[in-house]
Amino acid sequence: MALRGVWQLQKLVVNYCDWGGSSRGIRAFMESHLPALKEKNPQLEVVTQLVRGQHPNLKGIYKNHNERVVCVRNLAPEDIMLQASRLRCSLGRKVVKLRTRHVMKRPSVQGTWTTELKM
């Protein structure tokens, strides 16, 4: 995704195995969909790495030095393309878990209202 006009995904690393059965889909993806992905995204550096004996994955490296790894074991080439586009469209920020469901600037002194309060 572009933040202020700058694409945040710098590098997409495709790890695969050349003989493993779980890498069958990513090998087909590299033949059919990867050249089109490189053409449509000239700002993106795409690297393929042969890692024998490991399940395939996609690793996105972002400008804010964060990494996201997505396992693509036993996926079809179309599903792998969907995962690659999700990596491209995300900002690379860490997921922040909220403490409560209610987000407010000034929390109540009495506490959060629940249905289990006694009257």
Side-chain angles (χ1 to χ4, degrees), residues 72-95:
V72 291
R73 175 178 61 192
N74 296 326
L75 289 182
E78 293 79 20
D79 297 333
I80 296 172
M81 183 66 184
L82 178 67
Q83 294 295 330
S85 66
R86 283 184 181 164
L87 283 175
R88 181 183 58 98
C89 291
S90 67
L91 291 175
R93 294 179 178 161
K94 296 287 184 183
V95 177

Side-chain angles (χ1 to χ4, degrees), residues 44-80:
L44 183 61
E45 178 185 354
V46 180
V47 178
T48 58
Q49 290 181 348
L50 176 66
V51 182
R52 291 190 169 201
Q54 299 291 322
H55 291 300
N57 59 25
L58 297 174
K59 182 192 292 186
I61 301 172
Y62 294 89
K63 289 198 185 262
N64 57 3
H65 305 292
N66 285 340
E67 293 182 0
R68 257 192 205 167
V69 179
V70 177
C71 181
V72 291
R73 175 178 61 192
N74 296 326
L75 289 182
E78 293 79 20
D79 297 333
I80 296 172

Side-chain angles (χ1 to χ4, degrees), residues 28-41:
F29 166 77
M30 287 173 25
E31 291 175 3
S32 59
H33 297 347
L34 195 60
L37 181 70
K38 285 182 182 179
E39 248 180 56
K40 289 181 183 177
N41 301 298

Side-chain angles (χ1 to χ4, degrees), residues 18-35:
D18 60 345
W19 57 269
S22 64
S23 295
R24 184 179 304 125
I26 199 148
R27 289 191 299 264
F29 166 77
M30 287 173 25
E31 291 175 3
S32 59
H33 297 347
L34 195 60

